Amino acid sequence: MTTQTPRSEPATDADERTMLEGWLDYHRQTLAWKCEGLTDAQLRTASVEPSTLSLMGLVRHLAECERGWFRKVLADEDAGPIYYSDEDPDGEFHLTEADTWAQARATWEAEIEIARANAARFALDDLSAGKHRRTGERFNLRWIYTHMIEEYARHNGHADLIRERLDGATGD
């Protein structure tokens, strides 16, 4: 698999914040790379029946995660869901022919930019301004970064398998 998306690991001697931000960006870039060169139809293709997991669905899911952790929890913004609802809690994975990669990627990239801006206002030890919607807990920025790295890393594993199923492409 060739790549147009630049990916680079953080320096091995970076300070903690630079390291956390660097690994999160690396995993964001990895997901973009896994989606490169595919058609909208391929990006909508589910991994295996009966699952609705697809590359486009993963990008939409991670847009929701970026929004949830960096806007709702960290910054206490009143940002509603993008794709899911009470009636369809997994709406980001329920794609239609009207859903496009251009829209999904633009939404995801916009949420990443807002996440970066919100995170820049907090120190690693600062507790979030908002609370988790289910637990009512506050989280420091370090925890949120670590959780998001884990979230992307797990889903990048899914993306590896989906991409290989679609066109046989593999890569680290």
Short mmCIF file of all heavy atoms in Angstrom, two decimals, residues 49-86:
data_model
loop_
_atom_site.label_atom_id
_atom_site.label_comp_id
_atom_site.label_asym_id
_atom_site.label_seq_id
_atom_site.Cartn_x
_atom_site.Cartn_y
_atom_site.Cartn_z
N GLU A 49 -20.38 -9.91 7.14
CA GLU A 49 -21.76 -10.01 7.64
C GLU A 49 -21.77 -10.74 8.98
O GLU A 49 -20.99 -11.65 9.17
CB GLU A 49 -22.63 -10.76 6.62
CG GLU A 49 -22.75 -10.08 5.28
CD GLU A 49 -23.49 -8.76 5.33
OE1 GLU A 49 -24.36 -8.59 6.19
OE2 GLU A 49 -23.19 -7.89 4.51
N PRO A 50 -22.60 -10.36 9.92
CA PRO A 50 -23.63 -9.33 9.86
C PRO A 50 -23.14 -7.96 10.32
O PRO A 50 -23.93 -7.03 10.46
CB PRO A 50 -24.70 -9.86 10.82
CG PRO A 50 -23.91 -10.53 11.89
CD PRO A 50 -22.72 -11.15 11.17
N SER A 51 -21.84 -7.80 10.56
CA SER A 51 -21.29 -6.54 11.05
C SER A 51 -21.53 -5.41 10.07
O SER A 51 -21.51 -5.62 8.85
CB SER A 51 -19.79 -6.69 11.30
OG SER A 51 -19.24 -5.45 11.68
N THR A 52 -21.73 -4.21 10.58
CA THR A 52 -21.82 -3.02 9.75
C THR A 52 -20.52 -2.21 9.79
O THR A 52 -20.47 -1.11 9.26
CB THR A 52 -23.01 -2.12 10.19
OG1 THR A 52 -22.81 -1.75 11.55
CG2 THR A 52 -24.33 -2.84 10.02
N LEU A 53 -19.47 -2.77 10.39
CA LEU A 53 -18.18 -2.09 10.51
C LEU A 53 -17.55 -1.89 9.14
O LEU A 53 -17.36 -2.84 8.39
CB LEU A 53 -17.26 -2.92 11.40
CG LEU A 53 -15.93 -2.27 11.78
CD1 LEU A 53 -16.17 -1.06 12.67
CD2 LEU A 53 -15.05 -3.29 12.50
N SER A 54 -17.24 -0.64 8.82
CA SER A 54 -16.61 -0.28 7.55
C SER A 54 -15.58 0.80 7.82
O SER A 54 -15.56 1.40 8.89
CB SER A 54 -17.67 0.25 6.56
OG SER A 54 -18.18 1.49 7.04
N LEU A 55 -14.73 1.05 6.82
CA LEU A 55 -13.74 2.11 7.00
C LEU A 55 -14.40 3.48 7.17
O LEU A 55 -14.02 4.26 8.04
CB LEU A 55 -12.76 2.12 5.81
CG LEU A 55 -11.79 0.95 5.78
CD1 LEU A 55 -11.04 0.91 4.46
CD2 LEU A 55 -10.82 1.01 6.95
N MET A 56 -15.42 3.77 6.36
CA MET A 56 -16.11 5.05 6.51
C MET A 56 -16.80 5.12 7.87
O MET A 56 -16.79 6.17 8.52
CB MET A 56 -17.11 5.28 5.38
CG MET A 56 -17.61 6.72 5.35
SD MET A 56 -18.86 7.10 4.07
CE MET A 56 -18.10 6.56 2.57
N GLY A 57 -17.37 4.02 8.31
CA GLY A 57 -17.99 3.99 9.62
C GLY A 57 -16.98 4.23 10.73
O GLY A 57 -17.27 4.92 11.71
N LEU A 58 -15.78 3.67 10.59
CA LEU A 58 -14.73 3.92 11.59
C LEU A 58 -14.35 5.40 11.64
O LEU A 58 -14.18 5.96 12.72
CB LEU A 58 -13.50 3.08 11.29
CG LEU A 58 -13.58 1.60 11.62
CD1 LEU A 58 -12.34 0.87 11.12
CD2 LEU A 58 -13.77 1.38 13.12
N VAL A 59 -14.22 6.03 10.49
CA VAL A 59 -13.88 7.46 10.45
C VAL A 59 -15.00 8.27 11.11
O VAL A 59 -14.74 9.18 11.90
CB VAL A 59 -13.61 7.91 9.00
CG1 VAL A 59 -13.57 9.43 8.89
CG2 VAL A 59 -12.30 7.29 8.51
N ARG A 60 -16.24 7.93 10.81
CA ARG A 60 -17.36 8.63 11.43
C ARG A 60 -17.39 8.38 12.94
O ARG A 60 -17.66 9.30 13.72
CB ARG A 60 -18.67 8.21 10.76
CG ARG A 60 -18.82 8.75 9.35
CD ARG A 60 -19.90 8.09 8.53
NE ARG A 60 -21.13 7.80 9.19
CZ ARG A 60 -22.35 8.18 8.79
NH1 ARG A 60 -22.47 8.87 7.67
NH2 ARG A 60 -23.42 7.83 9.45
N HIS A 61 -17.10 7.15 13.36
CA HIS A 61 -17.06 6.82 14.78
C HIS A 61 -15.98 7.64 15.49
O HIS A 61 -16.21 8.19 16.57
CB HIS A 61 -16.80 5.33 14.96
CG HIS A 61 -16.54 4.93 16.37
ND1 HIS A 61 -17.52 4.95 17.35
CD2 HIS A 61 -15.39 4.51 16.99
CE1 HIS A 61 -16.99 4.56 18.50
NE2 HIS A 61 -15.70 4.30 18.30
N LEU A 62 -14.81 7.74 14.86
CA LEU A 62 -13.73 8.49 15.50
C LEU A 62 -13.98 9.98 15.48
O LEU A 62 -13.53 10.70 16.39
CB LEU A 62 -12.39 8.08 14.91
CG LEU A 62 -12.03 6.67 15.43
CD1 LEU A 62 -11.05 5.97 14.51
CD2 LEU A 62 -11.52 6.74 16.85
N ALA A 63 -14.75 10.48 14.54
CA ALA A 63 -15.19 11.88 14.60
C ALA A 63 -16.06 12.08 15.84
O ALA A 63 -15.93 13.08 16.55
CB ALA A 63 -15.95 12.26 13.33
N GLU A 64 -16.95 11.13 16.10
CA GLU A 64 -17.78 11.19 17.31
C GLU A 64 -16.92 11.13 18.57
O GLU A 64 -17.18 11.84 19.54
CB GLU A 64 -18.80 10.04 17.33
CG GLU A 64 -19.90 10.13 16.30
CD GLU A 64 -21.04 11.09 16.64
OE1 GLU A 64 -20.92 11.92 17.57
OE2 GLU A 64 -22.07 11.00 15.95
N CYS A 65 -15.89 10.28 18.56
CA CYS A 65 -15.00 10.18 19.73
C CYS A 65 -14.24 11.48 19.95
O CYS A 65 -14.11 11.94 21.10
CB CYS A 65 -14.01 9.03 19.55
SG CYS A 65 -14.75 7.40 19.62
N GLU A 66 -13.70 12.05 18.89
CA GLU A 66 -13.00 13.34 19.00
C GLU A 66 -13.94 14.39 19.61
O GLU A 66 -13.58 15.11 20.53
CB GLU A 66 -12.52 13.82 17.63
CG GLU A 66 -11.49 12.95 16.95
CD GLU A 66 -10.06 13.22 17.36
OE1 GLU A 66 -9.80 14.13 18.18
OE2 GLU A 66 -9.17 12.50 16.86
N ARG A 67 -15.16 14.44 19.09
CA ARG A 67 -16.15 15.40 19.58
C ARG A 67 -16.49 15.13 21.03
O ARG A 67 -16.54 16.05 21.86
CB ARG A 67 -17.41 15.33 18.73
CG ARG A 67 -18.52 16.27 19.21
CD ARG A 67 -19.70 16.20 18.29
NE ARG A 67 -19.43 17.05 17.16
CZ ARG A 67 -20.30 17.92 16.65
NH1 ARG A 67 -21.51 18.03 17.16
NH2 ARG A 67 -19.99 18.66 15.62
N GLY A 68 -16.74 13.88 21.36
CA GLY A 68 -17.15 13.53 22.71
C GLY A 68 -16.11 13.86 23.75
O GLY A 68 -16.41 14.47 24.79
N TRP A 69 -14.87 13.47 23.49
CA TRP A 69 -13.82 13.65 24.51
C TRP A 69 -13.24 15.06 24.53
O TRP A 69 -13.03 15.61 25.62
CB TRP A 69 -12.71 12.62 24.31
CG TRP A 69 -13.16 11.29 24.81
CD1 TRP A 69 -13.52 10.20 24.06
CD2 TRP A 69 -13.37 10.90 26.17
NE1 TRP A 69 -13.93 9.18 24.87
CE2 TRP A 69 -13.84 9.58 26.17
CE3 TRP A 69 -13.20 11.56 27.39
CZ2 TRP A 69 -14.15 8.89 27.34
CZ3 TRP A 69 -13.50 10.87 28.56
CH2 TRP A 69 -13.96 9.56 28.53
N PHE A 70 -13.00 15.66 23.40
CA PHE A 70 -12.33 16.96 23.39
C PHE A 70 -13.29 18.15 23.42
O PHE A 70 -12.89 19.24 23.84
CB PHE A 70 -11.39 17.08 22.19
CG PHE A 70 -10.19 16.20 22.30
CD1 PHE A 70 -10.10 15.02 21.58
CD2 PHE A 70 -9.14 16.54 23.14
CE1 PHE A 70 -8.99 14.20 21.68
CE2 PHE A 70 -8.02 15.72 23.25
CZ PHE A 70 -7.94 14.55 22.52
N ARG A 71 -14.52 17.96 23.01
CA ARG A 71 -15.48 19.06 23.04
C ARG A 71 -16.42 18.92 24.24
O ARG A 71 -16.52 19.83 25.06
CB ARG A 71 -16.28 19.11 21.74
CG ARG A 71 -15.41 19.51 20.55
CD ARG A 71 -16.17 19.55 19.28
NE ARG A 71 -17.01 20.74 19.23
CZ ARG A 71 -17.71 21.10 18.17
NH1 ARG A 71 -17.70 20.38 17.08
NH2 ARG A 71 -18.45 22.19 18.20
N LYS A 72 -17.11 17.79 24.31
CA LYS A 72 -18.12 17.62 25.37
C LYS A 72 -17.47 17.46 26.74
O LYS A 72 -17.84 18.16 27.69
CB LYS A 72 -19.02 16.43 25.06
CG LYS A 72 -19.85 16.60 23.82
CD LYS A 72 -20.66 15.33 23.56
CE LYS A 72 -21.42 15.40 22.25
NZ LYS A 72 -22.16 14.17 21.99
N VAL A 73 -16.53 16.53 26.87
CA VAL A 73 -15.94 16.26 28.18
C VAL A 73 -14.88 17.31 28.52
O VAL A 73 -14.98 17.99 29.54
CB VAL A 73 -15.36 14.83 28.26
CG1 VAL A 73 -14.64 14.61 29.60
CG2 VAL A 73 -16.47 13.80 28.08
N LEU A 74 -13.84 17.44 27.70
CA LEU A 74 -12.73 18.33 28.05
C LEU A 74 -13.18 19.78 28.16
O LEU A 74 -12.94 20.43 29.17
CB LEU A 74 -11.60 18.19 27.03
CG LEU A 74 -10.34 19.02 27.36
CD1 LEU A 74 -9.70 18.52 28.65
CD2 LEU A 74 -9.35 18.97 26.20
N ALA A 75 -13.84 20.30 27.15
CA ALA A 75 -14.17 21.72 27.10
C ALA A 75 -15.58 22.04 27.58
O ALA A 75 -15.96 23.21 27.67
CB ALA A 75 -13.98 22.26 25.68
N ASP A 76 -16.38 21.04 27.86
CA ASP A 76 -17.76 21.22 28.31
C ASP A 76 -18.60 22.00 27.30
O ASP A 76 -19.43 22.82 27.65
CB ASP A 76 -17.82 21.89 29.69
CG ASP A 76 -19.17 21.70 30.38
OD1 ASP A 76 -19.86 20.71 30.08
OD2 ASP A 76 -19.53 22.56 31.22
N GLU A 77 -18.38 21.71 26.02
CA GLU A 77 -19.18 22.34 24.97
C GLU A 77 -20.50 21.59 24.81
O GLU A 77 -20.56 20.37 24.98
CB GLU A 77 -18.43 22.29 23.63
CG GLU A 77 -17.23 23.19 23.56
CD GLU A 77 -16.53 23.12 22.21
OE1 GLU A 77 -17.16 22.69 21.21
OE2 GLU A 77 -15.35 23.48 22.15
N ASP A 78 -21.51 22.30 24.45
CA ASP A 78 -22.81 21.69 24.18
C ASP A 78 -22.86 21.29 22.70
O ASP A 78 -23.53 21.91 21.89
CB ASP A 78 -23.92 22.69 24.52
CG ASP A 78 -25.31 22.09 24.38
OD1 ASP A 78 -25.42 20.84 24.37
OD2 ASP A 78 -26.27 22.86 24.27
N ALA A 79 -22.09 20.24 22.40
CA ALA A 79 -22.00 19.75 21.02
C ALA A 79 -22.77 18.44 20.92
O ALA A 79 -22.40 17.45 21.52
CB ALA A 79 -20.53 19.53 20.64
N GLY A 80 -23.84 18.47 20.17
CA GLY A 80 -24.66 17.27 20.01
C GLY A 80 -23.97 16.23 19.16
O GLY A 80 -22.90 16.46 18.59
N PRO A 81 -24.56 15.06 19.06
CA PRO A 81 -23.97 14.00 18.24
C PRO A 81 -23.99 14.37 16.76
O PRO A 81 -24.81 15.17 16.31
CB PRO A 81 -24.86 12.79 18.52
CG PRO A 81 -26.15 13.35 19.00
CD PRO A 81 -25.83 14.65 19.67
N ILE A 82 -23.07 13.79 16.03
CA ILE A 82 -22.99 14.02 14.59
C ILE A 82 -23.85 13.00 13.86
O ILE A 82 -24.65 13.35 12.99
CB ILE A 82 -21.54 13.92 14.09
CG1 ILE A 82 -20.62 14.84 14.89
CG2 ILE A 82 -21.46 14.23 12.59
CD1 ILE A 82 -19.14 14.57 14.68
N TYR A 83 -23.68 11.72 14.20
CA TYR A 83 -24.30 10.65 13.43
C TYR A 83 -25.26 9.78 14.24
O TYR A 83 -26.15 9.19 13.67
CB TYR A 83 -23.23 9.72 12.83
CG TYR A 83 -22.23 10.43 11.96
CD1 TYR A 83 -20.92 10.63 12.39
CD2 TYR A 83 -22.58 10.89 10.69
CE1 TYR A 83 -19.99 11.27 11.57
CE2 TYR A 83 -21.66 11.53 9.88
CZ TYR A 83 -20.36 11.73 10.34
OH TYR A 83 -19.46 12.37 9.53
N TYR A 84 -25.05 9.66 15.52
CA TYR A 84 -25.89 8.75 16.30
C TYR A 84 -27.05 9.51 16.93
O TYR A 84 -27.08 10.74 16.95
CB TYR A 84 -25.06 8.02 17.37
CG TYR A 84 -24.62 8.88 18.54
CD1 TYR A 84 -25.45 9.05 19.64
CD2 TYR A 84 -23.39 9.50 18.55
CE1 TYR A 84 -25.07 9.84 20.71
CE2 TYR A 84 -22.99 10.29 19.61
CZ TYR A 84 -23.83 10.44 20.69
OH TYR A 84 -23.45 11.23 21.75
N SER A 85 -28.00 8.75 17.44
CA SER A 85 -29.15 9.33 18.13
C SER A 85 -29.61 8.33 19.18
O SER A 85 -29.12 7.18 19.22
CB SER A 85 -30.28 9.60 17.14
OG SER A 85 -30.75 8.38 16.61
N ASP A 86 -30.55 8.72 20.01
CA ASP A 86 -31.11 7.78 20.98
C ASP A 86 -31.75 6.59 20.26
O ASP A 86 -31.68 5.46 20.72
CB ASP A 86 -32.15 8.47 21.87
CG ASP A 86 -31.52 9.45 22.85
OD1 ASP A 86 -30.31 9.33 23.12
OD2 ASP A 86 -32.23 10.34 23.32
#
